[in-house]
Amino acid sequence: MTRGIFLAGNESALSRAIEAETINKVDQFAAALIPNRLSGAPKNSPQELSQRISLEWNPSSPISARTLVIAAENRLERIDEAILVCSPPSIRSSAAQLPLSDIDIMVNDHIKGWLYLVKEIGAIFTTRKSGTLALVFSDSAGAAKDDAADVLGPSALAAFRALTQGLLAAAHNEPYITAGFSSSDTGNEAAFAAFLFKSLDELSNRSNGKMYKFGKFNLFK
């Protein structure tokens, strides 16, 4: 049986790099993208990949999270590795001018959505008593000095980082492996993706609850 890889996250340079590395590992993988419903968001379509099984996901719905995981299991036969990639979009605006709709979308899609999805993935891995949950994010620097502040993106990222830390702390109680992956090397997404999969290939029960940090000075260590 082939390795069942499920990816979830929004369209970003990081998610594209991880997808490019994924197709070197398997013939097919399942992926669900967080739709960009923010005001003024570009209507760019994600890159087309014949190896990707694209699945619909409404992150703000707990029912959609359950349906998504079931669909991924059905299409892949099983999920061996669930890779959650947090790279939230930027909204550069003063606090006073933030659209209320964008605040709701960011909280629902980029904070609550991860909690719903982690719950459903954890449920199937617990039932099977196996699986790998990988939580991936970039600790990149913020805006240039003269740019407007990005209030919502870093807030969503901080929530995902806190979720990762909590899951890693509780990993020893779970019958599956949980690992975190972060990068401080902006613009080097391809190398980070390679580091991610090299680390995933080497995971064992002793790796459970570990945080892997990628940067210029710790390449593939």
Side-chain angles (χ1 to χ4, degrees):
M1 182 169 56
T2 187
R3 179 179 179 181
I5 298 179
F6 168 63
L7 302 180
N10 57 298
E11 175 76 4
S12 66
L14 180 55
S15 65
R16 289 191 294 271
I18 292 173
E19 283 196 321
E21 193 67 27
T22 303
I23 62 179
N24 293 326
K25 301 292 183 179
V26 293
D27 294 330
Q28 278 195 320
F29 66 96
L33 291 177
I34 300 173
N36 194 344
R37 302 186 292 120
L38 297 167
S39 60
K43 303 302 180 184
N44 295 334
S45 299
Q47 60 180 343
E48 293 295 331
L49 292 174
S50 60
Q51 298 93 335
R52 183 206 293 132
I53 301 170
S54 296
L55 302 174
E56 295 294 324
W57 180 26
N58 176 7
S60 65
S61 166
I63 295 175
S64 180
R66 180 172 301 176
T67 303
L68 171 61
V69 172
I70 292 172
E73 283 261 277
N74 288 339
R75 298 296 299 274
L76 295 171
E77 296 186 17
R78 61 183 279 164
I79 299 172
D80 297 301
E81 296 165 353
I83 304 174
L84 311 188
V85 186
C86 180
S87 182
S90 296
I91 303 174
R92 303 214 174 273
S93 168
S94 67
Q97 294 178 330
L98 281 173
L100 293 178
S101 60
D102 284 354
I103 295 174
D104 281 342
I105 288 168
M106 189 66 81
V107 171
N108 287 329
D109 289 4
H110 295 273
I111 297 179
K112 287 169 61 177
W114 290 123
L115 293 167
Y116 294 146
L117 189 55
V118 163
K119 170 181 168 55
E120 297 302 329
I121 292 170
I124 64 165
F125 284 173
T126 297
T127 299
R128 190 190 305 142
K129 293 182 170 42
S130 68
T132 297
L133 173 61
L135 301 118
V136 186
F137 60 92
S138 175
D139 269 324
S140 57
K145 181 179 179 180
D146 295 331
D147 289 345
D150 178 13
V151 176
L152 296 183
S155 298
L157 179 59
F160 187 86
R161 187 187 297 112
L163 172 62
T164 298
Q165 292 169 346
L167 292 171
L168 295 179
H172 66 281
N173 292 321
E174 303 294 352
Y176 56 89
I177 294 174
T178 303
F181 300 87
S182 69
S183 171
S184 58
D185 196 358
T186 306
N188 204 6
E189 288 81 8
F192 181 30
F195 169 82
L196 165 66
F197 274 96
K198 180 179 184 295
S199 301
L200 286 174
D201 290 342
E202 297 174 353
L203 286 182
S204 66
N205 289 333
R206 290 185 299 175
S207 310
N208 202 11
K210 184 175 179 179
M211 187 75 201
Y212 292 81
K213 296 185 178 182
F214 172 84
K216 295 178 181 178
F217 302 109
N218 64 340
L219 292 175
F220 295 94
K221 287 186 179 180

